[in-house]
Amino acid sequence: VENVRLLDRLSSRKAALGTLYLTATHVIFVENVSETRKETWVLHSQISSIEKQATTATGCPLLIRCKNFQVIQLVIPQERDCHDVYISLIRLARPVKYEELYCFSFNPKLDKEEREQGWKLVDLNEEYNRMGIPNNYWQISDINRDYGVCDSYPTELYVPKSATAHIIVGSSKFRSRRRFPALSYYCKDNNASICRSSQPLSGFSARCLEDEQMLQAIRKANPGSDFIYVVDTRPKLNAMANRAAGKGYENEDNYSNIKFQFIGIENIHVMRNSLQKMLEVCELKSPSMSDFLWGLENSGWLKHIKAIMDAGIFIAKAVAEEGVSVLVHCSDGWDRTAQVCSVASLLLDPYYRTMKGFMVLVEKDWVSFGHKFNHRYGNLDGDPKEISPVMDQFIECVWQLMEQFPCAFEFNERFLIHIQHHIYSCQFGNFLCNSQKERRELKIQERTYSLWAHLWKNHANYLNPLYRSDHGQTQGTLRPQMAPCNFLYKFWSGMYNRFEKGLHPRQSVTDYLMAVKEETQQLEEELEVLGERLANLQKSQLNDNKVKSKQQDRSKQLGLSTSDNSLANTPQEYSNDLKSFPSRSPSQGDEEDSALILTQDNLKSSDPDLSANSDQESGVEDLSCRSPSGGGCLPSEDSGKDSDEAVYLAV
Amino acid sequence: MEFAELIKTPRADNVVLHRPFYLAVEGTLCLTGHHLIFSSRRQDNAEELWLLHSNIDSIEKRFVGSLGTIIIKCKDLRIIQLDIPGMEECLNIASSIETLSTLDSVTLMYPFFYRPMFEIVEDGWRSFLPDQEFELLSSVTDEWRLSCINKEFSVCPSYPPVVVVPKSIDDEALRKVAMFRHGSRFPVLSYYHKKNGMVMMRSSQPLTGTNGRRCKEDEKLINATLRPGKRGYIIDTRSLNVAQQARAKGGGFEQEAHYPQWRRIHKCIERFNILQESLIKLVEACNDQSHNMDRWLSKLEASNWLTHIKEILTAACLAAQCIDREGASVLVHGTEGTDSTLQVTSLAQIILDPRCRTIRGFESLVVREWLQAGHPFQQRCAQSAYSNSKQKWEAPVFLLFLDCVWQILRQFPCSFEFNEQFLIMLFEHAYASQFGTFLGNNENERSKLKLPQKTMSLWSWVNRSEELSKFQNPLFEANSLVIWPSVAPQSLQLWEGVFLRWNRPSKFLDEAHEEMINIIKYNKELQAKVNALRRQLAEMETDDRMQENL
C-alpha cells in the first residue's frame, strides 16, 4: 500500500510518508525519503492488537500494538486498503498452526551440525551434575519417560532417593495435573533444596499417604533440618477458594514437620490487567508527573514485582541462612512457582547470574517444567484469558536486582530485553509450545534454531562491564533489602518505553564502559606486540638485561588482563552483530538498529582517533524526534511558529 | 557571649549512637561551641562523628526512666539517635544543642571561627571575579560593557557592585530602569551564546501596576539586545494569572503594546512555602519506615517534588531552545528575580554552554548566577525538611536547582566533569558549612560582614587536587554540544543520592562506582604504557637507522 503515513507517537505533526508491505512474516514500512529509506519491520508474532480507528479527512488510522511494547500508528489513505490490511493482519498475527510460525521459515544459514551444537549449549543433566546431583540423597527418575505420569513435566526429573515409584505415582495423583514435587535447586553446601509442584487435591479434608511420604522424603534428603517449608505463592483467599473445587493447600496437621506459608502473588488475570494499566500510562501523550505516578501506582505493577521478589527472597533466606528445604507451589505450579523458584535460584547461586547460567536457569525452571509459553504469550491464536506477562515479570525482577547489585550480573540490560523480545518473536524454537512433550512431537530441535546459541554467539554485546567474576558482589547469596524499601523498585522505562529513545538517558554508561574495556583489550594486544618488537630490537642490539625486564613487565600485564579476555571483540564483529539483530531483516535502519548504531557512535567517541563529536549528531536528531508540539515539553525545532504558539498557549 | 555559658554538660560517657544500617555504637559525646562530637574507642573500629550544630534542623527528646534519648534531624536529611544515661545530662545536652543550632547572629557562625588545616593554594574569594568573566565575553563581542553603577550597592541592594549591560545604555538610563523594576533589579546580562550571538538577560518584574506604567529606558535597554528585525522572548516564570494579580501590588509584566518585538511566555514555577511543603512531604515519604508502604508512589506523587523539577527543567529547556534553535534573545524574570529566575537562567546555561559542565565552570556559574545574582541563601537555607519553624521565606530553591542538574547529569552521564558527589557537597554546604561562601543574602551583606577577610571560601578548599579527585566524573569526555534533556515523567527520577542517602544501603552502588573508576584507570595506565613503548620503539628505530647509515 502506498502513501501511508507513519505517525510519531509524541508528535502528531511529524509523520513519515512511505509504503507499507505485508509479507508472510513481517509488516514492513519503508519511508519515501530517498536518501535514507528508513524501514520499520515488525514481526507478525509481535503484534498484540490491531485497532482500526474512525476514518478522518486524511485517511484511515490503524493502530498496531506490539508485545515488545512498540506502538505503531499508521494512516492509510483509502478506507478499503486499510480494511484489507486490517483483515490480513488479524489473520497473520494469529496463526493457528505451529508450522505457520516464523521459526520454521527462519534460516540463519547454519549447517545441520551447527544447529545441533546450538541446541546442546544448554544441558540440564550437566546442570544437575553441577549442583552435585545425583548423590546420596537425590537421584534421577525416569518414571515420566513417556510422559506417562505427567504430560507437562520433562522426561527426566530429580527426586529424593527414598521416594519410590509408588510414592511418586501416588503423590502425582493427589496433585493438580499430576505435577508431583520434583527438585528445582539443590544447595551443595548444606543439602537444602527447592522443590516444586502443583497444589494438592486436598479439598476440605482429603489426604494422601503417598504425598505425605513424598514431602517426608524431601525433608529426609536434608538431614540437617527437621522440617521443610511449604510455600503457597497464592493469596490465602485464592487458595481457600480452590478447596471448594477439591483442590487447595497442605494441612499442617496431616503432614509431619512442615511449616506452611502463604505468599500472596496474584494470578495471571490480575497481572495481565496490571500490565495493561501500566502500558496505558506509558502511552499517555505528554502526561504530567502526577498522571504518570498515579497511573503507575494504580496499575499495581511494581507492587506485584515486589511480591514476587519477596517470595524469592523468603525462599533464598530459608535455604541459605536456615538450611531448610522448601517446597513451592501455586495452583498448577507453572507460573508463580516458576517465577519464585527462578528468582530464589538467582539470589542463591552466582552461576545463574552469568550469561550461560541464566540460560540454564530459564531452560530449567521455565522451559523444562512446562511453563505454557504458547498460551501465556499468545503465539498461536488462543484464549486471550490465558495470556499473561509471567515471564516478563521474572525478567523485570532480574533487572530490578541488577539495579541494586550493579556488579553481580555478567550480562546487561540488553540481554534481558532481547530475551523478552524472543519470548514473543517465535523466531527460535526454544519457547514454542506448552511443554517438552509438545516440542518433541513437533521435532523442534530438528526444525528450528536455538536462541541460546544465537545470544551466545554475540555474547560480547551482552556483557556487563562492571562484572568481574572475582568481585565480592558476585560471590554467594544476594541479600536484597526487604520491606519497607519499596522505593528500591523502579519503573523500567528501558523495557516499557524502549522504542521511545527520547525518554532514555542519551549517553549509556554501559556502552561507554564496554567501549573502554574493548579499547583496553586492544591496548593490551598492542602492548604485547610492541613489547615483542622492542625485545627483538633490543636483542639485535645485544642488550640482554633490558629484554628480561621488559618481558617480565609484559607478562604482568597479561596476568591482569585474563579476566577480560572473553571481551575480545573487534568493532567489525560488533557491527555484524547489529545487522543480525533478529527481530528485523538485516541491513534495515529501523529504530532498534539505529539505537544500536547510536551506541556504536558512543563507542567511537571514546576512541581518541575519532572525532568526539560523533554522538553530537545523534543527540540533535533525538531532540527533533522527541520534541513534541504539545504543552509541557519543548516545541520542536522545525515545527514552525504555529506550533510554538500552541505550546505557549497551552502553558 | 561565651559559648561555654551555653554548654552546661560538655561531656557525657556511655552514650549510644544509633544510625540506620549501622550497629549501635557506645562512646563519649562532647559538645563544643560549634560541634557535637561523638567518639567511640572500641578496639575494632574506633570512630568519630563530628556534627556541626548549624547542620541540626530539629531535635526531639524522650525519656524512659533515667535513660534519655535525643533524636537529631539534620539539614542534610540524616537522622541519628543518641541514648544518654542520666536525665539531667540529657536535658542539658538537648537544650545546649537547641540553642547552639539556632543562633541568630551570623558572626557567631562557625565560618568565623574555622581555621583551615590545609594549605591555601588559591583564594576562592578571588577565583571568580566579574572582570575575569567579562574578559571572556569581550573577546567575542564588543556590544556589552561593565557598569560600576552599583558600586556602593546604592542602586540595587541585591546586585553585585559590577554588572554587564548593553554598551549603548548609559548609567543614567540604568538608574531610571532600576526605578521601574522590582527591588531595582534592572535587566542585566546573564549569558551570551557564542554560537549565534544571542543573549539571555534576567531581571525582576516591571512595576507597571494597574494603570500600565511604562518606562522608555527599560524598553530601550532590552531592545538594545535584539538584532535588527529579530524578535525576542520574555519568559515570565509565573503563570499569567499570578502575573496579572501582581499588578494590583504595583508589579506586573511587559505589555505587548510597549514591547512589540517581544513575545511573552508564562511558565508556572512555584515559590516559597509551596516548595518548602513539597520538600517536607517528600522527605517524610522517604523516611517512612512503616512496613505497609505500598502507597510509596502516591506519597511521592503527593509531595509534588518531581512536578516542580519537571516545571523548572521545562522552563529552562524552553529558554535554551529560544536562544539556540529560534535564534532569539531571551529575558527571564519572575517577581523578585532572585529564585525561579535564577533556576531557569542557570539551568539554561548548563544545557547550552559546555563550560558550565566542567567543575570550574559550574563553580563560576554558582557564583555568578546564585551568589552574585543575590539569591538570598541565608533566608532560603536556614532550615531544611525537619524544622518546625515555618518561616515564609524558607524554600529549597537551590536544592531544586541541584536536583535538576542531577537529572541532566543522569541523562548525559559522560558530559559532565563533576559527579553526583559534587552536587551533594554543594547542597550540604549551602545549608551548613565551615566556609563563608553561602553566608549572607547578597554581595552587599557579604561585604558588610567582611566575609572574604574573616572566613574561608568553599572554593579554596574544593579546588585543591586532593578534594577535586573526589568530585571528578571518570566518564567525562568533553562534549561541546548543546545537550537537550528529556522532561517526560519517565525520564525524571527521585534523587536517591540526597533523599534516600541515609535510608538505603549504598555498599553495592559504591562498589559499582569504584569498579567503574578502576576500569577507566586501568585503561589510562595502558594508554600511557603503550605511548611510552611507542616512543621508545621509535627512538630505537631511528637510532638503528642512524647506525646503519653510519
Side-chain angles (χ1 to χ4, degrees), chain B residues 311-335:
Chain B
E311 280 165 0
I312 296 165
L313 268 177
T314 306
C317 289
L318 180 72
Q321 183 150 27
C322 291
I323 293 170
D324 188 67
R325 293 303 172 91
E326 303 284 325
S329 284
V330 173
L331 169 68
V332 184
H333 70 73
T335 305

Side-chain angles (χ1 to χ4, degrees), chain A residues 396-462:
Chain A
E396 175 163 343
C397 286
V398 182
W399 178 80
Q400 299 281 0
L401 280 171
M402 280 163 60
E403 286 286 291
Q404 292 179 41
F405 300 91
C407 306
F409 292 82
E410 190 192 17
F411 45 86
N412 58 27
E413 180 183 11
R414 196 165 2 198
F415 184 63
L416 297 180
I417 289 175
H418 285 188
I419 291 179
Q420 192 273 352
H421 177 91
H422 287 296
I423 290 167
Y424 294 95
S425 75
C426 301
Q427 187 175 355
F428 297 93
N430 304 61
F431 303 136
L432 241 48
C433 308
N434 292 318
S435 66
Q436 190 185 68
K437 181 168 178 254
E438 287 182 32
R439 278 188 294 274
R440 292 219 171 141
E441 281 164 2
L442 265 180
K443 298 195 192 323
I444 289 292
Q445 300 211 353
E446 288 148 55
R447 300 166 69 191
T448 72
Y449 294 86
S450 167
L451 169 66
W452 305 131
H454 172 78
L455 293 176
W456 188 250
K457 198 177 75 202
N458 304 315
H459 85 296
N461 219 355
Y462 301 119

Side-chain angles (χ1 to χ4, degrees), chain B residues 108-148:
Chain B
L108 291 177
M109 301 286 256
Y110 187 49
F112 287 91
F113 299 82
Y114 171 72
R115 292 292 160 262
M117 304 289 280
F118 57 86
E119 195 200 347
I120 295 146
V121 185
E122 173 193 348
D123 180 7
W125 289 112
R126 308 193 51 80
S127 292
F128 305 101
L129 297 177
D131 340 11
Q132 295 163 3
E133 289 293 320
F134 186 70
E135 244 167 67
L136 290 175
L137 176 69
S138 50
S139 67
V140 284
T141 171
D142 58 356
E143 290 164 15
W144 297 83
R145 69 183 182 96
L146 269 184
S147 165
C148 298

Side-chain angles (χ1 to χ4, degrees), chain B residues 32-46:
Chain B
T32 72
H34 292 105
H35 283 98
L36 175 156
I37 306 158
F38 175 89
S39 51
S40 101
R41 299 257 173 271
R42 285 230 327 260
Q43 305 258 301
D44 44 341
N45 64 344

Side-chain angles (χ1 to χ4, degrees), chain A residues 6 16-19 29-34 36-40:
Chain A
L6 176 70
L17 200 65
T19 309
F29 178 83
V30 184
E31 278 183 28
N32 284 350
V33 183
S34 52
T36 49
R37 296 202 59 88
K38 195 174 153 230
E39 301 183 12
T40 306

Side-chain angles (χ1 to χ4, degrees), chain B residues 54-70:
Chain B
S54 57
N55 188 7
I56 294 172
D57 207 23
S58 83
I59 156 166
E60 292 163 23
K61 42 188 188 287
R62 278 203 309 254
F63 291 95
V64 182
S66 70
L67 180 76
T69 293
I70 301 181

Side-chain angles (χ1 to χ4, degrees), chain B residues 10 34 96 126 132 166 284 339 382 410 424 438 473 496 528 544:
Chain B
H34 292 105
S96 300
R126 308 193 51 80
Q132 295 163 3
E284 228 170 64
D339 294 281
R410 207 189 65 82
I424 296 174
F438 291 107
N473 173 10
E496 298 182 18
D544 254 14

